[in-house]
Structures are given as C-alpha cells and as structure tokens.
C-alpha cells in the first residue's frame, strides 16, 4: 500500500494531475466494486477522519503561508470567502434546482458543498508555473478562509426542518468566524511566545510542539462555539511567520503529515463510494459542475473583486483556479450522517463532479497561466535558512542552504556585508567543510553556518535573503541591506520544502552549542 501511494505521488508530480484523483482511484480499486472487494459504508467514521485530516492539512497550509505575501491579499480573500461563497451557493443551487430537478434543500446543500476551494489541488498543478504574489496570496487565503463558512452552511442546510430567518444564519456565521479568528490568533501568538523562550531538549520536539499547538487551536475554537477550522489556519499562519527555532524542519514535518492525511483521507473516500451507482448521476454532476465552473465561480470572483480593481487576467485565472478537492467530498458526508433524503445521491454527484472537473481544470491551469502571461519566471529562488538558539551565548546559529537559482552564487564572503555581530564561520561544499576567508567565493549548493548575536539576528537573515535575490549589488538594485526589506516582498516567498536544509557536516556533528534543540 505504501509503495502504491509513493508511486501515486511520483505519477501526479510528473503528469501535472492533482494527486487527489490517484488516491481516490486507489480507494475505488480496493473497494467493493474493485479487485479488493472491501465493503465500507460508514459515513460517520469517514466524516470524523476527514475532519481530522482537514485540520492537519489546514495546519500545513498555514505554516507555509508567508505573511508578507498574503497581507495585501487579505481584504480581497475575505470578501471572496464570504460574499463570493454566498453568490456561488445561490447560483449553483438555482442551477441544481431548475436544471437537474433537485429539491431546494438538496440544491442548497450541494451548492454549499461545492463552494469550497482546495489550495492543495490548485498548487499541485501550478508547481512549475510560479504566479505573482497577489494571485497566490488571494488563492491561498481564500482556501484557508472559505472552509469555515461553508461547513456552517452545510450543517445548517442539513439540519432537520427549514432554515428560517436567513439573517440569523448570517449572524451566526459572522459570530463563529469572529470567535474562531480570535481564538486562532491568541493560541498562535501564545504558542510562538512559549516556543521562542522554552528550550526543548531535542530538535525533533519542535515540529511536534508546533503541530500540537495547531490542533489545540482547533479544539479551543470548537469548544468556544467558533470556527475551529479558521482557528487552526490562523494559529498555524502565526507560527509559520514567528521566527521559531528549526522552522524549515517544522514545515517539513507538517508537510509530511499533510501528505499522510491526504492519502488516508482520499483512499477512505474512494472506499466509501459505490462505483456502480455513479453512472445514473453522471450527467447531473456534469450539469451542476458546468453551472459552478462557467457561471457561479466567475460571477462570484467578479462581484467579490470588483472593489479591488484587479486586472482581468488575474480574475480570469482565479475563476478557473477554483479547484474542488477532498473538502467537498468530506462535506458531502454531513447530510448522509444527518439522514437527509437522497443524501447518497448528493454524495455521488459531488464525487463525480470533483473527479470530472479536476480532470478538466487541473491540466489546463498551467497552460492558462502562461496564456494570460501570469507566470513569474524571473524571481530567484529563496534561501533555506534554519535557526537554532544559543541560549547561554545570547546568539543564534543560522544554517543557510544556497539553491541552484540563488544570486548568492559568485559572491565573496566579504561582499555579503553582514551586520556587525554576525559572521560566516563554516562552509560545507561537496560533503567537505572548511572555514572561509573574506575572499572565499560562494557557490550553488553550498551550506553556510552563520553565527549572529541576538540583536542582529533578524537583520542578518534579511541581509542574507537580500543577497540571495539581488546578488552582491543588492543595496544598489533596490533590495535593502541589513536593516531593510527586500524588493517586492520576496522575503520567504517560497517556503523551503523537505528537511531542515541545514549544514550536514556542521550543525549535526557540533557539540556544546547550548540547549536550543541541537544534537549534542
């Protein structure tokens, strides 16, 4: 099973298709109509596991969201996640009622279910076409925010009896979102404050602590009768931008958990579906998906972004980038658990809709981005920098990995112009380490060990990133030096993937460097 999942990851990364489809296919293959002939129909268990997986996925997304990139997009994303969701629900429900013949209750449920976008599905097919920060910021923030109001709507529409006094429902949504936001920010800031001041006995405990804080935010938000999903996303975003020790390792651990959660969730959803029942609802799913993709999503984007006057190519890409992933399929289990009439048919429609339109939209997204000339290919790759505190020395170790595209290649150590109190103490090149001199030329693939005193720690990292993007002339090119901020908000625009990215020959084997999570 593990080998099949790994093969699915490789196939999806090479083909450009979201891994969602392959994992769903694995579940269907081993299900009751497949070669495994495994009978599974527990919608309640699927919903519980799906919620847990969604918490992990939102935490991973929040940890990888860069505040400098998402901050300008927050107003637009907030409107798109509320007003846009309302418009999408109404238009899609009308299409399901008048064109497919669903009752209004079922039509509203399916309209709400499919109104949640999935950032993981979007960016899995756009990994080779980097987008402008404004577009990615809006899409990431929207995917993190719109799950909360959609869940509230689906639960309300699935409850017994008609939904009365729509303004009370709007007020309830606003209150739950406000409580969830407050709890998430509070837990995130308190967790970051504690992790910066408490030296854990092992570096491997930091990623676990970060994920534990994120899950705590969800639990606290839910107990406070707020949106736990919004709480976990905001808390994780605060933690991801809080300069915590071993931040790349924290993100890498969360990314690995996110993959595990997605694999398990998608396979379980594939098991739950009954393939031989999908044929009779195929055309209904196609019609509803057509209304959603061609009418509801573009209109909701246009209406929501009208006050922000975004260029039409960006609006067009955002309209087509409304991919539906696992979240709608999970939400489709809510009416099944609530005993809504024809809920199994609704689940089948959502399942077919997600699969068909992911096949249509996924492979065409990179092409559309290129056609609209929105691919940003000129930006240099960001550095992978990991920080470990030196408690007793009041300093920090910065482990810097120079990627292939970095403009730090060819720069001499003296030309880094680090602030007083910081110095490059070790370079690891081709598995060999040496102490550099002022005239040592840095190369692609080098790993540096930089020691910085506490007062200049942030300025040192800003300067390193500035040189990584602007080269030795960073200050003259408009990319600020030790005390400034890089041009265009490029700092941390791409999150480092994988492991810690630290110096293999320097940090791992060092001794006596304090209690800040390093191995002794």
């Amino acid at each position: 099973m593990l080998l099949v999942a790994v093969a699915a990851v490789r196939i999806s990364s090479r083909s450009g298709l979201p891994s969602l489809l392959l994992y769903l296919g694995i579940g269907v293959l081993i299900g009751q109509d497949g070669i495994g002939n495994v009978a599974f129909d527990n919608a309640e268990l699927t919903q519980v596991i799906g919620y847990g997986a969604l918490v992990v996925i939102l935490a991973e997304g929040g940890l990888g969201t860069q505040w400098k990139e998402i901050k300008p997009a927050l107003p637009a994303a907030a409107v798109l996640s509320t007003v846009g969701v309302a418009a999408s629900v109404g238009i899609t429900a009308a299409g399901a009622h008048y064109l497919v013949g669903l009752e209004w209750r079922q039509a509203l449920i399916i309209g709400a279910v499919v109104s949640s976008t999935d950032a993981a599905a979007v960016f899995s097919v756009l990994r080779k076409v980097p987008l402008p920060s404004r577009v990615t910021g809006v899409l990431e923030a929207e995917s993190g925010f719109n799950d909360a109001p959609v869940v509230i709507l689906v639960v309300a529409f699935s409850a017994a009896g008609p939904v009365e006094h729509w303004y009370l429902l709007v007020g309830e949504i606003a209150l739950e979102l406000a409580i969830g936001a407050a709890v998430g920010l509070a837990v995130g800031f308190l967790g970051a404050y504690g992790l910066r001041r408490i030296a854990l006995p092992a570096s491997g405990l930091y990623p676990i602590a970060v994920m534990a804080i994120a899950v705590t935010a969800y639990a606290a938000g839910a107990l406070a009768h707020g949106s736990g999903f919004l709480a976990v996303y905001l808390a994780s975003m605060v933690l991801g931008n809080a300069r915590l020790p071993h931040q790349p390792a924290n993100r890498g651990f969360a990314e690995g958990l996110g993959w595990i959660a997605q694999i398990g969730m998608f396979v379980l959803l594939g098991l739950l579906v009954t393939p031989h029942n999908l044929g009779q609802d195929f055309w209904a799913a196609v019609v509803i998906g057509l209304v959603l993709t061609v009418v509801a999503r573009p209109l909701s984007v246009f209406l929501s972004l009208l006050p922000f006057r975004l260029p039409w190519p960006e609006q067009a890409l955002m309209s087509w980038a409304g991919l539906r992933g696992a979240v709608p399929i999970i939400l489709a289990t809510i009416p099944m658990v609530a005993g809504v009439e024809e809920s199994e048919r609704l689940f089948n429609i959502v399942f077919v809709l997600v699969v068909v339109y992911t096949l249509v939209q996924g492979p065409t997204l990179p092409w559309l981005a290129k056609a609209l000339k929105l691919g940003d290919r000129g930006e240099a790759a960001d550095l992978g920098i990991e920080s470990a505190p030196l408690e007793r020395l009041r300093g920090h170790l910065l482990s810097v990995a120079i990627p292939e595209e970095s403009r730090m290649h060819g720069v001499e150590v003296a030309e880094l112009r680090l602030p007083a109190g910081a110095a490059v103490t070790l370079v690891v090149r081709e598995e060999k380490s040496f102490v550099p001199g002022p005239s040592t030329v840095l190369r692609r693939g080098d790993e540096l060990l930089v020691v910085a005193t506490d007062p200049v720690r942030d300025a040192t990292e800003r300067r390193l990133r500035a040189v990584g993007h602007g080269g030795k002339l960073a200050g003259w090119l408009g990319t600020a030096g030790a005390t400034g901020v890089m041009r265009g908000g490029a700092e941390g625009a791409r999150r480092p993937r994988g492991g810690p990215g630290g110096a293999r020959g320097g940090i791992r084997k060092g001794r006596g460097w304090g209690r800040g999570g390093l191995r002794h």
Side-chain angles (χ1 to χ4, degrees), residues 83-282:
V83 177
V85 164
S88 179
V89 171
I91 296 171
T92 306
H97 176 72
Y98 292 109
L99 299 179
V100 179
L102 294 179
E103 297 291 335
W104 272 115
R105 185 184 184 188
Q106 285 80 7
L108 287 170
I109 290 174
I110 205 167
V113 163
V114 298
S115 294
S116 179
T117 59
D118 190 339
V122 173
F123 293 110
S124 67
V125 298
L126 286 176
R127 61 172 61 92
K128 296 182 181 180
V129 187
L131 296 175
S133 59
R134 178 166 56 184
V135 175
T136 57
V138 172
L139 290 175
E140 284 189 7
E142 180 201 8
S143 65
F145 293 162
N146 64 10
D147 290 340
V150 166
V151 169
I152 298 172
L153 286 176
V154 175
V155 172
F157 294 149
S158 300
V163 178
E164 298 180 355
H165 305 302
W166 62 269
Y167 53 87
L168 295 178
L169 180 59
V170 173
E172 179 182 353
I173 292 175
L175 179 61
E176 291 196 20
L177 293 180
I179 294 175
V183 171
L185 293 174
V187 172
F189 281 115
L190 289 174
Y193 179 86
L195 287 178
R196 283 198 299 263
R197 285 159 177 80
I198 299 175
L200 299 179
S203 60
L205 294 177
Y206 282 93
I208 298 175
V210 168
M211 289 303 299
I213 293 171
V215 174
T216 299
Y218 172 80
L223 289 174
H225 301 286
S227 172
F229 294 117
L230 182 59
V232 68
Y233 181 76
L234 290 179
S236 302
M237 188 167 63
V238 171
L239 293 170
N241 291 271
R243 308 285 188 186
L244 300 179
H246 306 288
Q247 194 68 292
N250 299 336
R251 295 194 185 101
F253 180 77
E255 187 178 358
L257 286 184
W259 274 107
I260 294 175
Q262 289 185 64
I263 292 172
M265 177 175 57
F266 294 157
V267 171
L268 193 62
L269 291 172
L271 275 172
L272 185 63
V273 73
T274 305
H276 68 261
N277 291 335
L278 298 178
Q280 56 189 0
D281 297 314
F282 178 83

Side-chain angles (χ1 to χ4, degrees), residues 470-512:
K472 64 180 69 177
L473 300 179
W476 287 271
L477 292 174
T479 306
T483 59
V485 179
M486 294 180 299
R487 178 179 54 191
E491 179 177 355
R494 291 190 180 94
R495 60 178 179 184
R497 294 186 178 273
R504 293 186 295 272
I507 288 183
R508 301 294 184 189
K509 298 180 181 179
R511 291 185 177 180

Side-chain angles (χ1 to χ4, degrees), residues 201-390:
S203 60
L205 294 177
Y206 282 93
I208 298 175
V210 168
M211 289 303 299
I213 293 171
V215 174
T216 299
Y218 172 80
L223 289 174
H225 301 286
S227 172
F229 294 117
L230 182 59
V232 68
Y233 181 76
L234 290 179
S236 302
M237 188 167 63
V238 171
L239 293 170
N241 291 271
R243 308 285 188 186
L244 300 179
H246 306 288
Q247 194 68 292
N250 299 336
R251 295 194 185 101
F253 180 77
E255 187 178 358
L257 286 184
W259 274 107
I260 294 175
Q262 289 185 64
I263 292 172
M265 177 175 57
F266 294 157
V267 171
L268 193 62
L269 291 172
L271 275 172
L272 185 63
V273 73
T274 305
H276 68 261
N277 291 335
L278 298 178
Q280 56 189 0
D281 297 314
F282 178 83
W283 290 112
V286 170
V287 171
I288 295 174
L290 194 63
V291 172
L292 171 67
T293 305
V294 180
V295 182
R297 173 67 180 181
L299 279 180
S300 64
V301 170
F302 174 77
L303 293 175
S304 301
L305 302 182
L306 188 62
F308 304 98
R309 299 182 179 179
L310 295 182
W312 73 266
E314 296 184 7
Q315 295 192 40
L317 184 65
M318 292 179 193
S319 299
W320 192 247
L323 284 182
R324 272 69 192 170
V327 176
I329 305 178
I330 294 173
L331 296 181
T333 62
I334 295 177
M336 295 177 68
V337 175
V340 175
E341 186 180 355
E342 295 189 346
S343 57
E344 291 187 5
R345 185 190 180 195
L346 297 181
F347 181 87
N348 293 337
I349 291 175
V350 172
F351 189 94
V352 173
L353 186 154
V354 169
V355 171
V356 170
Y357 284 91
T358 300
L359 282 172
V360 173
Q361 292 175 272
T364 58
L365 267 175
W367 173 85
L368 181 61
K370 295 177 183 178
L372 295 173
K373 298 181 179 180
L374 293 177
D376 186 7
R377 294 185 176 274
E379 188 177 351
D382 198 10
L383 300 175
I385 301 180
E386 179 179 2
S387 173
L390 303 176

